[in-house]
Amino acid sequence: MRFLLFKDGSGDSLNYTDPGGSTAQFPITSAGREHGGSYTCRYSDGSGISSEPSDPVQVIVSEPSDPKPSVSLSPSGGVSLGASVTIQCRGPHWGRRFVLKKEGHYLLHKDSDGFEAEFPLSSLRREQGGSYSCSYHRRSEPFTVSYPSDPVELVLRDPSLPRPSISLSPTGVTPPGANVTVRCQGPGWDVRFFLHQAGDLNQPQPMEPAGDGAEFHIRPVGRQHGGSYSCSYRPRAEPFVSSAPSDPVELVVAGEGPGSMSLLPAPLPAGPWQGICIDGTVRARLCPGPSRGVARPGSMDGVTGVPSPWAAAATGDAGQREVPPHPEGELQS
């Protein structure tokens, strides 16, 4: 039996072999752009009559010199069953054809008149959840494509699933270096729990449950761990279907910066007016002062009726003089 290999657009067979069996192989070594295309094969039994061609198979050659595109979802904060989402693919070259794949299998393609293409999906069903990626190629070279983008997961929220709960141990302000446990609790089915930190764009990692909940340990706590946390769960049988997230809980780490709390007393606020400080120095929102009126050293605030916090520090030539504020924008020395 003889097997013949054909490439779409070539006319005659590219190669043939007599394997002495029911299968044949046609190796392509050092694949290049010219090898990309659609291939079929036929066989003959020696009588000169060939079979019908096989179903075609496509050889896609990746072009390593083309940068990978990016893929994103809009909205990105979670989509419910029955809602709509747009998958956005963006590349570095103008006017390319973008190819959308799900789990590595071709799904759709679209020609772009710019640097990106959008693939809208509406009335989302459970089976549309999954991992999506995209690539691009010149319209004249459909079998020479870029490497695929990093994947993005489309996880669909099922409103019929009960929401989980979340708690922290210990509670309150946590000093850096301590250990914190985040506990998520949900239904007792066969599920996996996911912990989400607000502002973290990384894909959350699953945690196997122990009973009806799961524990996430943060050891040791750093200031970067401060922030708002929530959790969700997904049934094992449907890894891209999720519950709605729990109510958030705040992890406050002692220190400075977002999501943290200082153990030092807060500085006194600066007053809103400009001029000369009571001690005679130039003032440009750097020295404390009252928001209305002027207080003398050792006097009451004049606004709140409490002792002025800077009175004890007011010394020098100013003495007990009142110094009226200068007009906005005028600084005097």
Side-chain angles (χ1 to χ4, degrees):
M1 183 179 294
R2 171 168 292 185
F3 286 88
L4 300 95
L5 180 67
F6 295 84
K7 182 182 179 185
D8 190 25
S10 298
D12 296 333
S13 64
L14 295 178
N15 203 350
Y16 70 90
T17 184
D18 300 307
S22 59
T23 60
Q25 293 182 346
F26 296 91
I28 299 176
T29 58
S30 300
R33 307 171 80 98
E34 67 277 9
H35 295 111
S38 182
Y39 291 81
T40 58
C41 64
R42 302 184 183 206
Y43 67 88
S44 65
D45 58 4
S47 63
I49 300 175
S50 298
S51 68
E52 292 294 316
S54 66
D55 292 334
V57 64
Q58 292 183 342
V59 174
I60 306 295
V61 180
S62 295
E63 176 52 72
S65 64
D66 283 335
K68 293 195 303 184
S70 62
V71 64
S72 60
L73 300 176
S74 179
S76 59
V79 186
S80 296
L81 289 168
S84 299
V85 71
T86 297
I87 302 176
Q88 299 170 325
C89 299
R90 184 173 180 84
H93 303 299
W94 183 89
R96 294 296 194 259
R97 175 173 293 173
F98 286 88
V99 178
L100 180 66
K101 293 185 176 182
K102 180 188 177 189
E103 318 293 350
H105 300 291
Y106 170 84
L107 190 63
L108 296 167
H109 74 266
K110 180 174 287 188
D111 293 335
S112 172
D113 292 328
F115 294 92
E116 64 182 14
E118 294 186 344
F119 299 89
L121 304 177
S122 59
S123 303
L124 290 167
R125 304 179 303 277
R126 306 176 90 87
E127 60 269 20
Q128 289 178 289
S131 180
Y132 290 81
S133 63
C134 62
S135 57
Y136 62 89
H137 60 79
R138 293 178 177 86
R139 301 180 194 184
S140 60
E141 296 182 285
F143 299 107
T144 303
V145 304
S146 70
Y147 283 117
S149 66
D150 293 331
V152 64
E153 286 191 350
L154 175 57
V155 180
L156 302 176
R157 292 177 180 170
D158 184 351
S160 69
L161 297 175
R163 294 173 66 193
S165 61
I166 188 171
S167 60
L168 295 177
S169 179
T171 59
V173 180
T174 303
N179 297 332
V180 168
T181 298
V182 184
R183 177 166 178 80
C184 300
Q185 190 166 355
W189 323 324
D190 196 10
V191 300
R192 287 179 175 175
F193 286 87
F194 292 79
L195 183 65
H196 313 271
Q197 183 180 10
D200 186 357
L201 300 181
N202 295 319
Q203 193 68 33
Q205 296 300 311
M207 178 66 70
E208 300 298 330
D212 61 352
E215 292 184 345
F216 298 83
H217 302 284
I218 304 177
R219 301 171 177 168
V221 167
R223 292 180 181 175
Q224 72 276 15
H225 296 117
S228 181
Y229 288 83
S230 61
C231 65
S232 62
Y233 62 87
R234 305 178 194 175
R236 286 181 183 272
E238 296 180 294
F240 296 105
V241 173
S242 172
S243 71
S246 67
D247 290 331
V249 67
E250 191 79 15
L251 173 57
V252 181
V253 181
E256 297 179 356
S260 64
M261 178 177 291
S262 176
L263 294 179
L264 300 176
L268 293 172
W273 51 275
Q274 298 177 342
I276 300 178
C277 295
I278 294 176
D279 62 0
T281 60
V282 175
R283 172 178 183 163
R285 299 184 186 274
L286 298 178
C287 53
S291 58
R292 297 192 304 274
V294 180
R296 294 185 178 88
S299 70
M300 305 301 279
D301 187 301
V303 177
T304 62
V306 297
S308 174
W310 65 90
T315 60
D317 295 338
Q320 297 292 323
R321 291 186 294 113
E322 291 186 4
V323 183
H326 290 276
E328 185 69 24
E330 296 183 9
L331 296 180
Q332 297 185 8
S333 58

